[in-house]
Amino acid sequence: MIFENNLAFAQSLDRQDPLHHLRADFLFPKQHGTPFIYMCGNSLGLQPRAARSYVDQQLNNWENLAVEGWFEGETPWMYYHKELKGLMAHIVGAGPREVCPMNTLTVNLHLLMVSFYRPTATRFKIIMEAGAFPSDQYAVESQVRFHGYDPKDAIIEVAPRVGEATLQTADILAAIADNSEQLALVLFGGINYFTGQWFDMPAITKAGHHAGAVVGFDLAHAAGNVPLKLHDWDIDFACWCSYKYQNAGPGGISGIFVHEKHFSDKSSDRFAGWWGYQEQQRFKMEKGFIAEAGADGWQVSCTQVIPMALYHASLKTFEKAGFIGPLREKSLRLTAYLYYLISEVNKTLGFEQYKIITPSAENERGAQLSIIAKYKGKEVFQALVANNILGDWREPDVIRLSPVPLYNSFEDVFLTAERMLTISKELITPKQ
Ligand SMILES: *Cc1c(COP(=O)(O)O)cnc(C)c1O
């Protein structure tokens, strides 16, 4: 599509956008009474308008049924996770039995590594991306130490080439092949939180399996953002948080995926708890753990009903949109528009003030653009916030902006770039 750098054009794209009305289903934060242009869905998605009533429903059940709420009411808590599983399966491209909402993300990463990182004296290495989200780095280092290995020996990080910001798929695949004899696990982010790069998940999975390793993904920045086919891509396990692109609220419940091919593996270790026990026998309270079939068997503690209610409300907005297909179509266009407008800003300024490090290729990115602000980055970012544009800042010099197809408009994108230009003109002269 040929884009134009003017408000009327942006508004005409909004009029043609079949998902534009969904914006009204979300609540926007305000500054001095004016709603922010919210570009921060990569960090915390907006509150769905319906979230409150989903929570109220469960508060009412608690009020009216109390302990009987576990088995009574229109959505007994004992089975409430099943209401979500079908919807979650759509988001990540899995069968409903392969997914389950539980815990929080880093906790699930640990639990899944207990099952899927099973090092031996010869195979104990883990390959991951350099610059992975810190929580993942800490989790992996501590898992390695827990098994008696030194992270320096056991963790292989694939880094960008000198002078580049993102990874080349060829380098990832080569690192996997080069270490194939000692490799236990390939653990990658789906999309890197800092650069916004979407990795070639099917290729990485195939290479990992070819090397004889298990392959897992942290989908914090990918789930609800890009189309995923976890089952068909033959990924072994994955986990994600629900509060970024999936709008389930701060600290929202996480989701896990376990490929069904692992369901019958009786040798697999897990850190068990009563909620992973066979559902129909759970309340016999017997000695000796027997796992419930499917991903549900990885549950540990009793269902977190209120966080699940929030996730339920948000998943329903995805259902209303027609799930990821239509959302991705709009997302590609929204982000391409932002990409175009930022290059227009540079053109007008006459120098490259903003360097986008997120790959431009559609199959290598999601909604987010990570933008290095060459001069006065932090000041530019703060001025954007003062001018009602809420993105986020990552040290040392990156502004992350994420137009989200559920609630952002083409007008939002236009106004963001327009204010970037005005602010840059005010703050920066080319000599600086
Ligand atoms: C956001 C994010 C997390 C956060 O983990 P929590 O356990 O939910 O706090 C972890 N990993 C990645 C890759 C993330 O992007």
Side-chain angles (χ1 to χ4, degrees):
M1 151 165 282
I2 314 269
F3 290 126
E4 291 176 29
N5 184 5
N6 62 70
L7 181 61
F9 178 79
Q11 290 170 336
S12 80
L13 289 182
D14 284 330
R15 280 193 299 275
Q16 294 161 40
D17 168 17
L19 303 179
H20 184 71
H21 63 286
L22 294 176
R23 181 179 170 82
D25 292 350
F26 290 86
L27 298 166
F28 287 75
K30 289 183 182 145
Q31 175 168 252
H32 313 305
T34 309
F36 272 107
I37 292 177
Y38 197 72
M39 288 284 158
C40 210
N42 55 282
S43 187
L44 183 70
L46 291 182
Q47 183 180 142
R49 207 172 272 280
R52 199 173 291 266
S53 71
Y54 277 73
V55 170
D56 269 349
Q57 191 187 356
Q58 298 310 333
L59 290 176
N60 291 340
N61 287 342
W62 182 20
E63 177 182 341
N64 297 319
L65 301 167
V67 72
E68 296 194 307
W70 285 105
F71 294 99
E72 290 183 16
E74 68 293 2
T75 54
W77 300 327
M78 174 83 175
Y79 309 110
Y80 189 32
H81 62 298
K82 293 179 201 261
E83 302 271 326
L84 279 68
K85 282 157 66 82
L87 299 164
M88 292 165 71
H90 272 289
I91 302 272
V92 296
R97 279 164 21 104
E98 293 175 311
V99 297
C100 190
M102 62 178 82
N103 311 313
T104 43
L105 174 54
T106 311
V107 170
N108 283 336
L109 190 57
H110 276 297
L111 292 174
L112 290 167
M113 284 186 76
V114 165
S115 297
F116 293 102
Y117 174 55
R118 291 186 287 170
T120 64
T122 48
R123 277 192 182 271
F124 59 94
K125 292 192 175 175
I126 302 177
I127 284 196
M128 59 193 299
E129 84 240 45
F133 193 85
S135 199
D136 298 43
Q137 296 181 35
Y138 309 149
V140 172
E141 284 168 12
S142 60
Q143 285 276 338
V144 161
R145 281 202 195 91
F146 177 75
H147 286 284
Y149 298 94
D150 185 339
K152 281 204 292 295
D153 304 326
I155 300 175
I156 300 157
E157 291 189 337
V158 188
R161 294 182 186 178
V162 176
E164 296 183 5
T166 52
L167 293 183
Q168 302 225 4
T169 304
D171 293 351
I172 302 171
L173 303 186
I176 292 171
D178 290 348
N179 291 282
S180 60
E181 302 203 333
Q182 296 182 306
L183 203 56
L185 176 65
V186 176
L187 182 65
F188 255 72
I191 292 181
N192 180 271
Y193 80 101
F194 188 82
T195 63
Q197 179 180 19
W198 182 17
F199 299 114
D200 188 339
M201 297 171 60
I204 291 171
T205 307
K206 223 167 148 188
H209 287 162
H210 188 70
V214 174
V215 181
F217 284 92
D218 182 329
L219 301 174
H221 284 263
N225 180 10
V226 289
L228 300 169
K229 293 193 175 131
L230 301 189
H231 177 89
D232 290 350
W233 292 343
D234 202 28
I235 286 162
D236 294 292
F237 71 91
C239 46
W240 55 92
C241 56
S242 59
Y243 51 79
K244 289 172 181 166
Y245 291 96
Q246 294 183 73
N247 315 313
I253 197 160
S254 165
I256 68 157
F257 163 86
V258 177
H259 198 285
E260 68 175 7
K261 70 186 176 185
H262 294 296
F263 292 171
S264 57
D265 180 3
K266 298 279 183 270
S267 74
S268 150
D269 278 320
R270 65 183 90 183
F271 281 177
W274 74 318
W275 225 254
Y277 194 87
Q278 283 187 322
E279 191 181 280
Q280 294 310 316
Q281 314 294 325
R282 187 178 298 152
F283 284 90
K284 290 187 176 166
M285 309 294 220
E286 286 179 346
K287 201 169 166 58
F289 179 79
I290 307 168
E292 171 67 357
D296 293 12
W298 269 264
Q299 293 175 101
V300 179
S301 293
C302 67
T303 282
Q304 297 153 261
V305 174
I306 300 296
M308 243 191 261
L310 288 166
Y311 195 15
H312 194 195
S314 84
L315 287 166
K316 284 293 194 182
T317 66
F318 279 85
E319 183 180 52
K320 193 170 166 189
F323 291 107
I324 298 291
L327 285 167
R328 173 66 172 169
E329 203 174 309
K330 174 175 174 185
S331 177
L332 283 172
R333 210 173 256 204
L334 268 181
T335 299
Y337 193 42
L338 181 60
Y339 207 102
Y340 158 81
L341 288 171
I342 287 170
S343 53
E344 290 289 295
V345 169
N346 284 334
K347 259 192 230 166
T348 310
L349 290 171
F351 57 97
E352 196 182 36
Q353 160 67 3
Y354 300 106
K355 183 176 165 55
I356 299 171
I357 58 172
T358 309
S360 60
E362 286 188 350
N363 59 354
E364 290 181 56
R365 61 166 168 81
Q368 169 186 327
L369 291 184
S370 302
I371 305 156
I372 294 179
K374 192 163 181 191
Y375 302 110
K376 297 191 177 175
K378 192 84 187 262
E379 284 167 66
V380 169
F381 174 73
Q382 284 163 347
L384 279 169
V385 177
N387 282 278
N388 271 32
I389 311 282
L390 198 52
D392 72 5
W393 173 256
R394 280 287 168 268
E395 294 294 345
D397 55 4
V398 164
I399 296 172
R400 297 189 301 180
L401 298 175
S402 302
V404 170
L406 272 170
Y407 50 73
N408 281 122
S409 63
F410 290 89
E411 180 168 340
D412 286 346
V413 171
F414 175 80
L415 293 175
T416 299
E418 187 183 58
R419 284 176 209 175
M420 279 173 91
L421 177 63
T422 314
I423 287 163
S424 310
K425 277 184 178 161
E426 279 167 14
L427 286 177
I428 305 154
T429 56
K431 282 188 299 298
Q432 288 169 300

